[in-house]
Amino acid sequence: MTTYSDRPGPASSSRTAASAGRVGFGAAMWKEVAHLLANLPLSLLAFVYVTVAVTVGVALSVTVVGLPLLAAGLAGARLVGRAERARARGLLGVRVDEPSRLPHRPGGGAVGAVWTALRDPVAWRTVLYGFVRLPWGVLTFAVTLVALVALWPALPYLVRAMANADRAMVRGLLGPSDELERRVAELESDRGVVVDAAAADLRRIERDLHDGAQARLVALAMGLGLAKEKAAEDPDAAARMVEEAHGEVKLALQELRNLARGIHPAVLTDRGLDAALSAVASRCTVPVTVTVDLPERPAEATEGIAYFTVSELLQNVSKHARATRATVDVWRNGDRLLIQVTDDGCGGADPAHGTGLAGLAERLDAVDGLFDVYSPPGGPTTATAELPWRSRTPVRR
């Protein structure tokens, strides 16, 4: 079995690092040239803005409007940093996480908002970036222009060296304050995914109840009412109506069982992942071998996410894989719960082109998990999911 236990780093992808190591007259170099030539006019604008904003704010700080003006200038500096990160992302291929928004403290009022803005380390580092970029912008513009005209053979090497310095400057001054800041921004994004997923599940349950079991129960009530009216004058017809109502009751119960299974199956609560995943595998259209090797049952939330992850993947196998067999392996590796679903189907599964797999990846990411799909054309397909392991809390009676 293949395990995936290390998360990739947040700052820049390995593909970016690899492309940054190649030097030559390619598209990447010309993007770097465009970035370096644009440094002068853009750094001049940024320098003028931060100089005016800080100077006016500090000079008027003895008045009532001084500190609010300085806070507004720092808020604008954040926008300058966002624009520079976007420019570096597009032309230099450097990936820097967006800093989290300023915290909002209820009851703080205008004074609290101004004080929070004045203590914003992201804005102050952007101000520093604006000051140091002007001389650097002049240097890079001049050297790049001279290299384009007279130092053509050395152009790729000079451009790469200056572009790497730009990359380091963007990472050092325009990134989140620290690992905690990055993690806060990540959790804010994940919280939105969880809320959206929960709302979608509630809408699905409401729709299924309204269109399925509720409609059958309404028809059942009407049928029993008619049977009651006919019981005295036509007992045979009343008996047939009761028989039909009995059939409707069975169908409504089956729909309610299916709905309950989609919310949280009873077998998962009573017997754990092994039995629950075996039940899911029995409903798959291809033979599935299930292997669950866990020293103990994980926490209820982790167990539920693992169950629905396997259920979604096996549904994809049934609908799209054209496979003849599949395997499900679940095991623990340190503080991670790992899930691997493999099938011998046609392959070609890609989370970027399928809402089901993309949604699954988002849900796992929202709980600090990972999702990876290896599915070359022609197969086989291997989907691997990781979840943080949390032990089950003993039930207090």
Side-chain angles (χ1 to χ4, degrees), residues 23-27 29-31 33-34 37 142-160 162:
V23 179
F25 290 92
M29 189 210 74
W30 291 113
K31 286 184 178 181
V33 168
L37 291 177
V143 172
T144 305
L145 202 60
V146 170
L148 282 170
V149 176
L151 299 175
W152 188 258
L155 177 64
Y157 301 96
L158 290 172
V159 166
R160 179 52 51 84
M162 291 186 292

Side-chain angles (χ1 to χ4, degrees), residues 163-327:
N164 284 340
D166 261 348
R167 291 185 178 97
M169 202 176 300
V170 170
R171 290 193 188 102
L173 293 178
L174 297 184
S177 299
D178 50 21
E179 180 63 19
L180 179 60
E181 173 78 16
R182 184 195 66 79
R183 185 63 177 150
V184 167
E186 184 178 289
L187 290 175
E188 285 179 347
S189 174
D190 291 346
R191 181 181 60 185
V193 173
V194 171
V195 171
D196 291 342
D201 286 340
L202 287 174
R203 288 193 299 270
R204 176 184 61 82
I205 293 169
E206 181 183 9
R207 184 178 63 250
D208 291 346
L209 282 172
H210 182 271
D211 297 340
Q214 179 178 325
R216 291 195 180 278
L217 290 174
V218 170
L220 172 63
M222 294 176 62
L224 289 175
L226 292 173
K228 181 180 177 181
E229 293 176 0
K230 288 184 174 290
E233 60 186 49
D234 191 352
D236 293 337
R240 288 194 299 271
M241 290 181 179
V242 171
E243 184 66 25
E244 292 175 1
H246 184 253
E248 288 290 328
V249 168
K250 290 182 178 179
L251 291 175
L253 287 174
Q254 183 61 40
E255 289 187 356
L256 288 173
R257 288 192 194 100
N258 293 336
L259 182 60
R261 187 185 297 121
I263 299 172
H264 195 86
V267 66
L268 179 62
T269 302
D270 297 338
R271 300 173 56 192
L273 269 177
D274 198 351
L277 295 184
S278 296
V280 171
S282 68
R283 298 192 295 270
C284 189
T285 57
V286 301
V288 181
T289 302
V290 178
T291 303
V292 178
D293 182 15
L294 298 175
E296 58 179 321
R297 291 181 65 176
E300 290 86 347
T302 302
E303 201 172 54
I305 294 170
Y307 170 84
F308 287 111
T309 298
V310 174
S311 179
E312 178 75 20
L313 291 173
L314 288 183
Q315 285 184 28
N316 285 341
V317 172
S318 298
K319 294 178 181 178
H320 309 297
R322 300 199 295 273
T324 60
R325 58 185 177 85
T327 61

Side-chain angles (χ1 to χ4, degrees), residues 9-13 94-97 171 182:
S12 63
S13 66
V94 59
R95 304 291 175 181
V96 178
D97 290 332
R171 290 193 188 102
R182 184 195 66 79

